[in-house]
Amino acid sequence: MKSDRELADIAIEAIKNSYSPYSDFKVGAALLCRDGTVFTGCNIENAAFSSTVCAERTAFFKAVSDGKREFSAIAVVGGKNGTVDGFCPPCGVCRQVMNEFCGEDFKIILFNGKDIKGFTIGDLLPESFGAKKLCE
Ligand code: THU
């Protein structure tokens, strides 16, 4: 199983594929499945800005479309020009996607090139709207 730091290093590698000609803000993600498989993702921008997809959702959608549904952790890194010198917390939409597939034991790992921070989805998306609300 991968350590937090190993997962962060895979996320840093994923930054290389970021397509971000408009913001030049490059993000990489590494999503660890419960079976040990890792899916990477990068942000993919679009001239029609709202069509942009974040690195975290790229990783989730790659994994789910390959049949994965159970996840342990995601590492997220990013920065202007691809320089990782600050934390890059997931946006609200990505938090909502994590909430769909992940429980309280899922770890969201942020790395700034020096230190690691870990969060649960409850930390980042309290009082969330999820599947339970629709199925109650
Ligand atoms: N971005 C991500 O990839 N993940 C996030 O959680 C926050 C933002 C990307 C989207 C866009 O390409 C760039 O960062 C600037 O917003």
Side-chain angles (χ1 to χ4, degrees):
M1 225 18 108
K2 296 266 182 288
S3 70
D4 293 357
R5 184 53 208 272
E6 282 172 326
L7 209 56
D9 284 341
I10 297 170
I12 286 180
E13 190 66 20
I15 284 179
K16 291 187 183 143
N17 291 328
S18 166
Y19 176 73
S20 39
Y22 305 106
S23 73
D24 214 29
F25 194 91
K26 299 182 185 300
V27 185
L31 176 62
L32 178 64
C33 304
R34 275 204 210 280
D35 66 6
T37 320
V38 176
F39 285 81
T40 58
C42 63
N43 54 330
I44 304 169
E45 298 189 342
N46 193 284
F49 295 159
S50 62
S51 307
T52 291
V53 180
C54 292
E56 300 92 312
R57 273 175 291 146
T58 302
F60 265 95
F61 297 156
K62 280 169 69 179
V64 173
S65 66
D66 268 11
K68 307 295 180 187
R69 293 277 174 87
E70 299 196 332
F71 305 105
S72 305
I74 190 168
V76 186
V77 294
K80 201 80 183 165
N81 303 313
T83 305
V84 178
D85 58 5
F87 292 107
C88 180
C91 80
V93 176
C94 290
R95 293 177 195 204
Q96 185 66 31
V97 168
M98 291 175 196
N99 191 59
E100 185 70 24
F101 295 105
C102 305
E104 274 300 306
D105 57 344
F106 181 75
K107 195 168 178 186
I108 299 152
I109 300 157
L110 306 184
F111 180 57
N112 65 356
K114 191 168 158 267
D115 299 311
I116 292 220
K117 279 190 197 176
F119 298 93
T120 65
I121 192 62
D123 293 331
L124 299 187
L125 196 69
E127 298 297 331
S128 62
F129 185 88
K132 270 192 192 143
K133 300 271 178 211
L134 288 180
C135 303
E136 260 166 15

